[in-house]
Amino acid sequence: MSKWIDIAALEDIPKRGARVVKTAQGCVAVFRTASDEVFALNNSCPHKGGPLAEGIVHGASVTCPLHNWVFSLETGLAQGADEGQVGTYPARVAGGRIELDAAFLAARSAA
Amino acid sequence: MKQKLIIIGAGMATGRALETLLETAPDAYEVTLFNAEPRGNYNRIMLSPVLAGDKTYAEIETHSAQWYSDNNVTCRFGEKIANIDRAAKTVTAQNGDVLPYDKLMFGTGSTPFIIPLPGHDLEGVIAYRDLEDTERMMSLGPDNTCVVIGGGLLGLEAAAGMAARGVDVTVVHIMGHLMERQLDEAAGYLLRKALVDKGITIKCSANSKEILGTDGHVRALLLDDGTELPCDLLVMAVGIRPNVALASEAGLAVGRGIHVDDQMLTSDPDILAVGECVEHDGAIFGLVAPLYDQAKVAAQTLLGTHAAFAQKELSTKLKVTGCDLFSAGDFADGEGREDIVFRDPARGVYRRLVIENNIVIGAVMYGDTADSNWFFGLIRDKTDISDMRDTLIFGPAYQGGTQLDPLAAVAALPRDAEICGCNGICKGQIEDAIAAGAGDLAAIKATTKASASCGTCTGLVEQVLAVTLGDDFVLPAAASICACTDMTHEDVRRMIKSQRLTSMPAVWQECGWKTSCGCHVCRPALNFYLLADWPLDYADDPQSRFINERKHANIQKDGTFSVVPRMWGGITTPDELRAIADAADKYMVPTVKVTGGQRIDLLGVKGEDLPAIWADLNAAGMVSGYAYSKGLRTVKTCVGTDHCRFGTQDSTGLGIKLEKTLHGAWTPHKLKLGVSGCPRNCAEATCKDIGIICVDSGFQISIGGAAGMDVKETELLMQVATEDEAIAVIKAVTQLYRENAKYLDRIYKWMAKVGLDWIKERIQDDLDGRAALVKRFELSQSIYRHDPWAAHAKDKAASYQPLARFDLEAAE
Ligand code: SRM
Ligand SMILES: Cc1cc2nc3c(=O)[nH]c(=O)nc-3n(C[C@H](O)[C@H](O)[C@H](O)COP(=O)(O)OP(=O)(O)OC[C@H]3O[C@@H](n4cnc5c(N)ncnc54)[C@H](O)[C@@H]3O)c2cc1C
Ligand code: SF4
Ligand code: FES
């Protein structure tokens, strides 16, 4: 069973936007789609490390701001001809709050 | 002896429970029915048709006085239950009567939520829940104004009902589109359009601040942008809360609603609850379908028969004449989920199905909902749709038969079928033009004018060509904007202007977008077109901008940013330089560089530091240099008459004036200017988008230079005598470029398409046209000529910080 940690209000991220959560092992990008789903991914593009949180969100995908690779927010897989995968983490919205999985955060914080 | 059943609330749920109970076992219970409203059961959902004048109250009553007496139900209408003593198994009515019960059933419904705005308790502020509210609204007429807060199901039914009575109604909705819980943006756009056609004013993304009154009566609603909306009545339809007060006072388990199990029993086995007041398995309810199921289960539980309530898929419709919409299931985007979108702009139809593993899991429809039940069935039954995928979206009529061929449909049209609505061109005229030799779209446009206006019929014209010419006609692979649409940039721009499309969902719908909400290629282009064409109506969408323009800084390869303050015309001062040096020290900027654009770049600033460094630079009088923008970059100057022995005019001064008036302007691509004081051209003006060479007799303005991937010399647009005229000409040509060029075309590319002569006709020859361009430029600048750094440092600084930090302390 996951234990969920409260991160912020859903409204703290704009629709079709993202913000980062800092952990000891780098940033996690938390995305909010137009339909108010949230996803958490490593904030580092497998191509050349582009910060995915700065990308344009469309549908359930994000386009990397550096060279336009497109990734699925749900699986982290690169779309189209590009190959690669970004790590994804459990995230959910409960009662208007964004929550991340405690076990995963603990793992990332224990530097 | 008969058992005593007391029911609290004569609502839609308990009404249904009573019917089932009395039909199955008329003699099992002696029933007493309490209702706070001074009447018995009625069909609450039909209050909207009553409000609109389509029905009367008598028609929506579900149980008559006769029915209650035939069934020996003791009615205590207009009386509330005041409290419950579970140990003694009695209830106390409002008048003090104490009545014993064997079984008790809650059906207390919900209470409308009233936002506690200042003034919410004024006379004339009501909710929309019961007959009293409805009658209050029905008392208004053509001389009245009303504001409805809430653009959901209830609010819109209230608004439409009053509008049908001639009331001047405004709906204030906090979200970006109407009914956002049931509809996506495209359907929300169509709904809004239909309501506006009914004369209702709709304000989305609007925040209510205060309700204003005179003499204790509501007078107006004040929005937080300062707008005052006068009203005689204010209806709040912003949501409901399960009515649990009595149950929690009685000590029953209560969460958001009264907790019930699958048998509709509360935490007390002698007490049941049904309807909107319950919470079952974490869910609460707001539509009648599940309440009816609950009612049947509760009746059986009362009779000792086993039955279980299970939650099912729900669907929503809106009871407003002329607004056919339907929504069911889950229509969020997601991996493994595919959209099938169908749009018929001419009929205002939108259909979207969301499919996962070959099963339809959600549907949104607007305009044509005839097949909604069939789609709802597919969702509910989890039907595998792989075999009908290709034609699924067209509905049941197209299943199982032959493949749908759009060309066959066009071929079947009679000769007098109208193809181009704008120009009234029929299929026959196009066929004749083809017979006379017109072999492609351009030739049809030139000879018949078909598709030459708004462009919506382009596809149809091409199909007529294909049907008539057969294999001789190759559908042109026009470069569409992206995979979301078949339309070109030019088509879309034309549509935005001719159809007055002022929002992105409007474009998606009217231009037949194939995705629900665009992609990273089309959204930035649409955002630009909309703000360029409708600066007053369209609100810029940061989420549709590339990161540089969203965060007003250039992203670097390591994710840091560069900060370039403006140096108007390349002029700076010791104070500015000191402030830049201080900022570089304070924020540990790794690289400070002089750019090719006559200013200083601070490279490698951390994203979190941006608002702070901007605030510091602002304090020294500097503003954003827009070095990141598809907009005005720099105006490069030389020293001119101030110092140079060859200078003919004040080139530095003109450069500063130009940069000050053009700054903040968004253009299709970046816009760079140069002003040189004489033909020696030290400011390299002749390789800029717009270059000015000062000469003794005035100013030579030339356009279309480039020195990037292509190198091009500018071409002379015109020479003018005065600085003022030079500035006017430059504003006008910038506006012409902004209104007409394709997104990401620099001036030289646009000029290659339209020709320098076309531009000259509009700027040099048509003085009224030029003045109008200048006016439109200034209008747009009245909104966009500002410093985004100051705005973000003040209002948005928090959004530049991480959402949360777990790198500082060990997580628990
Ligand atoms: C900082 C600067 C180089 C410098 O150190 O001098 C620069 C830096 C960049 N230029 Fe430039 N250009 C800079 C002057 C120029 C010039 C010279 C000028 O403006 O006088 C040119 C040629 C003139 C022209 O625009 O025609 C120039 C032609 C380009 C081009 C090619 C444009 C084209 O249409 O061919 C690009 C690519 C693009 O825009 O698509 C580009 C794109 C870029 C970008 C934004 C690349 C990017 O997308 O990330 C660089 C950002 C670097 C960074 O990380 O901050 N830069 N760039 C100059 C900033 C000027 C300023 O103060 O705003
Ligand atoms: C204008 C309008 C339009 C709607 N349209 C639709 C629609 O199109 N489709 C749809 O599915 N749903 C619609 N609904 C929602 C639907 O009407 C409700 O879901 C349904 O009425 C809830 O039934 P209920 O029995 O739980 O509560 P209610 O019907 O609200 O009945 C509860 C009753 O309990 C009484 N009561 C409360 N406390 C006490 C007490 N202490 N003592 C005695 N009596 C008490 C109340 O006075 C009330 O009469 C609409 C609602 C409204 C207001
Ligand atoms: S020339 Fe190329 S590498 Fe240099 S700043 Fe411009 S875009 Fe970057
Ligand atoms: S770093 Fe993400 S696409 Fe290159």
Side-chain angles (χ1 to χ4, degrees):
Chain A
M1 272 285 280
S2 307
K3 185 171 167 251
W4 296 96
I5 289 201
D6 183 288
I7 298 294
L10 183 62
E11 281 67 48
D12 290 340
I13 304 180
K15 272 183 193 281
R16 295 195 189 100
R19 300 268 301 268
V20 298
V21 170
K22 281 201 169 181
T23 76
Q25 273 147 66
C27 289
V28 174
V30 183
F31 295 87
R32 174 180 176 194
T33 66
S35 43
D36 284 348
E37 290 170 295
V38 297
F39 296 98
L41 278 78
N42 252 345
N43 191 30
S44 177
C45 176
H47 177 220
K48 292 193 172 170
L52 295 175
E54 315 284 21
I56 290 183
V57 178
H58 44 104
S61 309
V62 61
T63 301
C64 176
L66 294 195
H67 316 99
N68 288 336
W69 285 25
V70 179
F71 296 91
S72 151
L73 293 176
E74 221 167 72
T75 60
L77 280 168
Q79 309 285 289
D82 299 316
E83 279 176 30
Q85 186 168 19
V86 196
T88 61
Y89 307 103
R92 69 169 193 185
V93 183
R97 306 284 305 175
I98 297 167
E99 300 180 340
L100 295 187
D101 182 46
F104 134 75
L105 277 181
R108 288 184 68 103
S109 302
Chain B
M1 211 182 85
K2 274 197 194 178
Q3 295 210 73
K4 290 188 179 4
L5 168 64
I6 295 183
I7 300 181
I8 314 171
M12 299 198 64
T14 59
R16 187 55 64 94
L18 258 184
E19 279 169 25
T20 316
L21 179 69
L22 295 170
E23 275 163 24
T24 330
D27 301 318
Y29 285 96
E30 186 186 311
V31 182
T32 308
L33 179 58
F34 277 85
N35 199 21
E37 281 182 66
R39 60 187 68 84
N41 302 80
Y42 64 95
N43 192 346
R44 188 176 305 284
I45 74 179
M46 297 312 267
L47 286 175
S48 294
V50 170
L51 172 60
D54 299 335
K55 283 219 168 8
T56 61
Y57 174 71
E59 290 175 86
I60 72 166
E61 233 176 12
T62 50
H63 299 81
S64 60
Q66 186 67 42
W67 187 88
Y68 295 117
S69 80
D70 288 352
N71 287 286
N72 295 318
V73 175
T74 310
C75 300
R76 302 195 56 164
F77 298 152
E79 285 190 67
K80 267 177 126 168
I81 299 276
N83 73 63
I84 299 167
D85 183 342
R86 284 166 52 209
K89 291 185 70 172
T90 58
V91 299
T92 310
Q94 229 173 354
N95 68 357
D97 286 357
V98 177
L99 284 80
Y101 67 81
D102 296 299
K103 297 282 176 190
L104 187 63
M105 176 154 42
F106 272 88
T108 47
S110 321
T111 27
F113 180 62
I114 298 286
I115 316 171
L117 293 173
H120 70 272
D121 42 9
L122 286 166
E123 222 289 302
V125 177
I126 63 169
Y128 185 20
R129 182 74 194 172
D130 55 25
L131 186 63
E132 279 68 32
D133 300 328
T134 312
E135 284 171 342
R136 192 70 198 267
M137 290 186 252
M138 287 165 72
S139 69
L140 300 187
D143 296 336
N144 298 109
T145 54
C146 178
V147 168
V148 177
I149 304 184
L153 213 62
L154 277 190
L156 297 181
E157 288 186 6
M162 285 185 281
R165 297 180 173 274
V167 181
D168 177 356
V169 186
T170 301
V171 175
V172 173
H173 190 48
I174 191 163
M175 304 303 287
H177 69 272
L178 296 174
M179 286 182 67
E180 76 287 346
R181 281 192 296 168
Q182 292 89 10
L183 300 183
D184 58 11
E185 287 165 299
Y189 155 74
L190 284 171
L191 173 60
R192 176 190 183 125
K193 198 165 131 180
L195 293 171
V196 167
D197 284 346
K198 289 182 185 296
I200 300 171
T201 307
I202 310 267
K203 292 188 171 291
C204 285
S205 305
N207 253 314
S208 305
K209 187 173 178 196
E210 189 177 341
I211 303 171
L212 309 174
T214 10
D215 303 330
H217 192 281
V218 61
R219 166 173 69 80
L221 176 70
L222 176 67
L223 303 181
D224 69 359
D225 67 1
T227 316
E228 252 186 51
L229 303 168
C231 58
D232 306 315
L233 187 71
L234 188 143
V235 181
M236 258 199 225
V238 292
I240 50 173
R241 299 282 150 90
N243 184 355
V244 297
L246 184 62
S248 60
E249 278 164 28
L252 295 175
V254 165
R256 284 191 294 160
I258 307 172
H259 283 300
V260 291
D261 61 12
D262 292 353
Q263 281 65 51
M264 308 315 293
L265 289 172
T266 65
S267 56
D268 180 330
D270 290 320
I271 305 184
L272 299 88
V274 291
E276 281 183 347
C277 60
V278 311
E279 177 178 339
H280 173 266
D281 204 6
I284 55 174
F285 305 85
L287 294 172
V288 293
L291 309 189
Y292 286 163
D293 290 345
Q294 295 175 358
K296 286 181 204 147
V297 171
Q300 281 166 300
T301 303
L302 280 172
L303 296 171
T305 335
H306 179 81
F309 169 67
Q311 293 176 26
K312 286 201 204 117
E313 283 297 341
L314 292 178
S315 66
T316 313
K317 287 185 177 177
L318 179 75
K319 300 186 300 300
V320 173
T321 326
C323 300
D324 293 326
L325 64 81
F326 170 84
S327 120
D330 182 354
F331 51 87
D333 297 303
E335 171 62 19
R337 290 188 177 179
E338 297 162 90
D339 274 336
I340 302 182
V341 177
F342 169 81
R343 306 183 194 241
D344 180 345
R347 287 194 303 140
V349 169
Y350 171 74
R351 279 185 180 182
R352 173 166 164 234
L353 300 176
V354 181
I355 298 180
E356 189 168 46
N357 299 327
N358 291 318
I359 288 171
V360 184
I361 59 163
V364 186
M365 298 186 190
Y366 191 94
D368 176 0
T369 52
D371 299 329
S372 58
N373 288 340
W374 184 74
F375 286 108
F376 187 47
L378 296 180
I379 297 177
R380 217 183 30 220
D381 305 340
K382 305 197 171 21
T383 312
D384 186 320
I385 50 91
S386 1
D387 290 344
M388 46 183 166
R389 224 203 117 99
D390 291 351
T391 51
L392 181 67
I393 193 88
F394 301 107
Y398 292 90
Q399 307 314 317
T402 42
Q403 277 291 323
L404 187 74
D405 178 4
L407 285 186
V410 172
L413 288 177
R415 268 181 62 84
D416 61 0
E418 189 176 84
I419 300 286
C420 171
C422 297
N423 297 292
I425 307 298
C426 303
K427 183 182 165 197
Q429 289 167 275
I430 298 174
E431 285 173 340
D432 294 346
I434 296 170
D440 60 17
L441 184 67
I444 297 287
K445 259 190 207 169
T447 50
T448 69
K449 284 252 179 315
S451 87
S453 298
C454 80
T456 6
C457 63
T458 307
L460 266 181
V461 173
E462 282 173 349
Q463 284 167 4
V464 176
L465 276 160
V467 169
T468 317
L469 294 175
D471 292 344
D472 291 343
F473 179 73
V474 191
L475 267 180
S480 65
I481 297 183
C482 62
C484 299
T485 174
D486 292 331
M487 286 185 133
T488 61
H489 282 270
E490 291 73 15
D491 291 340
V492 171
R493 277 218 96 163
R494 206 169 36 242
M495 284 289 284
I496 290 175
K497 292 189 215 296
S498 69
Q499 306 291 296
R500 210 172 191 289
L501 308 180
T502 57
S503 71
M504 255 193 244
V507 177
W508 297 333
Q509 174 60 27
E510 304 296 346
C511 300
W513 242 241
K514 290 182 281 186
T515 50
S516 62
C517 69
C519 72
H520 69 273
V521 179
C522 58
R523 285 225 315 271
L526 294 184
N527 188 58
F528 168 73
Y529 293 150
L530 288 164
L531 74 78
D533 285 341
W534 313 115
L536 298 182
D537 305 288
Y538 178 73
D540 183 42
D541 175 23
Q543 299 314 122
S544 292
R545 285 184 177 273
F546 181 63
I547 181 62
N548 288 3
E549 293 185 348
R550 196 179 330 133
K551 285 204 167 164
H552 296 278
N554 284 24
I555 195 160
Q556 310 288 297
K557 62 181 197 174
D558 62 354
T560 61
F561 291 86
S562 68
V563 171
V564 186
R566 271 211 192 282
M567 282 182 180
W568 308 102
I571 292 291
T572 185
T573 62
D575 282 341
E576 284 186 357
L577 291 171
R578 258 188 293 273
I580 290 175
D582 288 344
D585 277 343
K586 181 166 165 194
Y587 301 97
M588 294 183 286
V589 173
T591 307
V592 181
K593 184 179 182 302
V594 175
T595 73
Q598 293 188 337
R599 49 198 187 166
I600 291 175
D601 191 351
L602 301 160
L603 294 126
V605 179
K606 289 197 226 45
E608 295 109 276
D609 287 340
L610 288 173
I613 193 169
W614 293 339
D616 287 3
L617 294 169
N618 280 161
M622 281 173 278
V623 298
S624 167
Y626 280 80
Y628 44 78
S629 71
K630 307 280 179 266
L632 180 78
R633 295 285 179 92
T634 56
V635 181
K636 212 167 152 173
T637 69
C638 71
V639 286
T641 40
D642 272 358
H643 302 278
C644 178
R645 63 203 164 108
F646 295 118
T648 60
Q649 309 277 356
D650 177 12
S651 53
T652 322
L654 176 56
I656 293 172
K657 280 185 195 151
L658 282 169
E659 193 163 350
K660 292 216 156 159
T661 162
L662 295 180
H663 102 100
W666 296 103
T667 41
H669 203 307
K670 50 195 178 191
L671 184 68
K672 297 175 178 179
L673 276 66
V675 190
S676 288
C678 82
R680 287 170 194 76
N681 193 14
C682 298
E684 301 167 322
T686 50
C687 64
K688 298 289 178 257
D689 296 285
I690 303 177
I692 299 101
I693 303 287
C694 304
V695 287
D696 270 334
S697 53
F699 305 83
Q700 293 171 345
I701 302 170
S702 61
I703 61 174
M709 290 176 275
D710 290 305
V711 181
K712 289 244 173 332
E713 191 180 339
T714 50
E715 292 180 53
L716 185 67
L717 175 64
M718 62 189 293
Q719 177 166 338
V720 298
T722 66
E723 221 179 61
D724 284 348
E725 195 178 357
I727 293 174
V729 165
I730 288 164
K731 283 181 185 170
V733 79
T734 302
Q735 182 66 14
L736 193 67
Y737 167 54
R738 161 153 71 200
E739 287 177 2
N740 291 285
K742 165 173 165 292
Y743 187 60
L744 298 187
D745 269 357
R746 294 282 289 263
I747 287 192
Y748 75 93
K749 288 198 176 155
W750 168 62
M751 193 162 100
K753 290 177 185 167
V754 300
L756 180 59
D757 288 341
W758 185 88
I759 301 172
K760 278 186 179 165
E761 276 167 32
R762 276 150 191 85
I763 306 292
Q764 191 175 28
D765 309 341
D766 176 1
L767 291 183
D768 291 341
R770 185 207 290 178
L773 283 164
V774 172
K775 216 166 144 200
R776 291 201 292 279
F777 177 81
E778 278 306 336
L779 175 79
S780 174
Q781 284 295 78
S782 69
I783 290 155
Y784 288 106
R785 183 164 41 210
H786 74 289
D787 177 26
W789 286 359
H792 284 222
K794 180 167 164 281
D795 297 327
K796 284 185 150 184
S799 72
Y800 286 75
Q801 304 310 316
L803 199 54
R805 300 192 66 153
F806 293 93
D807 54 336
L808 302 174
E809 72 239 62
E812 289 154 67

